[in-house]
């Protein structure tokens, strides 16, 4: 399974939330912008590490759901989401 990072650049996020419809791990944060919550998926048990700073949200996953994250990134009209495979 690929290990990958999902990064949301908060300066670029406008809270349009097109990502939420592609991957249920994306949710609305307290600041009104998109964030990632591994526990938000009602179907799959998901584990991931999430770091949320004032500039960005970075979530790291080690599962087979990279395609869902990539679809969420592609749906973002402001290109605020980046999905990258990372090494061990």
């Amino acid at each position: 399974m690929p290990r990958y990072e999902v990064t949301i650049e908060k300066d670029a996020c406008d809270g349009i939330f097109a990502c939420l419809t592609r991957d249920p791990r994306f949710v609305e944060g307290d600041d009104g912008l998109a964030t990632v919550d591994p526990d938000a998926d009602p179907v799959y048990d998901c584990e991931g590490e999430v770091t949320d700073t004032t500039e960005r949200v970075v979530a790291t996953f080690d599962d087979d759901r990279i395609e869902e994250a990539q679809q969420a990134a592609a749906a973002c009209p402001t290109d605020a989401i980046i999905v990258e495979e990372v090494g061990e």
Side-chain angles (χ1 to χ4, degrees):
M1 284 184 269
R3 182 172 171 84
Y4 58 98
E5 282 184 352
V6 176
T7 303
I8 303 171
E9 295 293 341
K10 290 185 178 184
D11 287 349
C13 181
D14 280 343
I16 298 167
F17 304 120
C19 55
L20 276 64
T21 64
R22 305 309 194 281
D23 187 332
R25 296 174 291 182
F26 287 84
V27 297
E28 182 177 354
D30 293 337
D31 57 5
L33 301 176
T35 191
V36 179
D37 180 358
D39 296 325
D41 191 325
V43 176
Y44 296 102
D45 236 359
C46 185
E47 290 187 25
E49 299 174 25
V50 179
T51 303
D52 192 339
T53 68
T54 56
E55 293 87 26
R56 67 188 50 87
V57 176
V58 179
T60 306
F61 296 98
D62 190 4
D63 59 32
D64 61 353
R65 298 179 65 201
I66 189 170
E67 188 174 313
E68 289 176 50
Q70 290 169 330
Q71 289 174 359
C76 179
T78 62
D79 294 326
I81 303 169
I82 301 163
V83 179
E84 299 177 298
E85 282 193 50
V86 294
E88 297 293 319

